[in-house]
Amino acid sequence: MAYEFYYHPLSSFCQKAMIAFCEADADYVPMLLEHQKPETMDALRALWPVGKFPVLRDTESGRVVPEATIIVEYLAQHVPGAAHLVPSDPDLAREVRLQDRFFDLHISVPVQKIVGNRLRPENAKDPLGVKEARTAVRTAYGILDARMTTRRWAMGEAFTMADCAAAPALFYADMQQPLGEDFPHAASYLERLKARPSYARVLKDAAPYLHMMPKG
């Protein structure tokens, strides 16, 4: 299979799909999206008019696959090395999808609110929205901390799509709302994720851009 992958290495959702590629030991043609290269953005919009990334193009089948979760599912279906990311058992697969949505919707999304507010001009700040986002993140931390008391990965001993979602979600969340000593099991989980070779490789790719991410 040959894949074109439209992405930016700083994006948490792109990182989720990149982890899946690394887990599968699968190659892709990197279509790096940068504002100074409008022709790449034009190519992205030609495939996916929404204009958001990541987007995968399977050059053999011609299929266009947008959205990080769907990309991971596609790789799990078509690349043998990624099959473990979504279990074949339907009940386990549903639980993996639930955990995937948990990390995206209840950690990544409110963290984006916090980061986005820091990038706004002073006269457009949304302190109430940020306060609500921080509350949401801490609520999610509490749920995760209780879940990880007896687990190595989100589903137990098996590394799955849920962990692909968790790694960037927790990495960026910890920059904005530190886990600290209040959530020790979640903090230990984040350290295991950062040590996982697939995410370590993704973080290495993101390193040149991390200075662009506001903290605190």
Side-chain angles (χ1 to χ4, degrees), residues 2-13:
Y3 300 114
E4 291 178 348
F5 183 57
Y6 292 77
Y7 77 110
H8 193 285
L10 192 61
S11 160
S12 60
F13 294 130

Side-chain angles (χ1 to χ4, degrees), residues 24-41:
D25 196 23
D27 293 327
Y28 56 83
V29 177
M31 307 296 286
L32 180 62
L33 295 161
E34 297 186 279
H35 293 301
Q36 60 265 42
K37 296 181 179 179
E39 65 275 11
T40 313
M41 288 300 300

